[in-house]
Amino acid sequence: MQAHVDKDTCIGCGVCPSVCPDVFEMDDDGKAKEIVESVPESAADTAKEAADSCPVNAITVE
């Protein structure tokens, strides 16, 4: 399973790293980024929750 943040869509609200810090963090540009190449199985549910919580739907988890 992989997570991806669309930087053009991201508004930098910070919800995803607060929900799933094992997969997401805020970058120097104020936008979210994924910090793992593959989502660990232990973080799969929270990564999906972070994607669902994104107010602009900038995150895909597949």
Side-chain angles (χ1 to χ4, degrees):
M1 176 179 294
Q2 295 196 337
H4 174 72
V5 178
D6 181 343
K7 294 253 186 188
D8 292 331
T9 304
C10 178
I11 60 172
C13 72
V15 169
C16 56
S18 69
V19 172
C20 188
D22 292 336
V23 176
F24 304 101
E25 70 179 14
M26 299 307 287
D27 206 348
D28 293 338
D29 63 1
K31 304 281 181 112
K33 71 174 187 176
E34 60 278 355
I35 55 173
V36 294
E37 289 195 24
S38 182
V39 175
E41 192 170 321
S42 61
D45 288 341
T46 54
K48 289 176 187 175
E49 181 181 343
D52 291 342
S53 299
C54 179
V56 292
N57 299 315
I59 301 171
T60 55
V61 178
E62 303 178 317

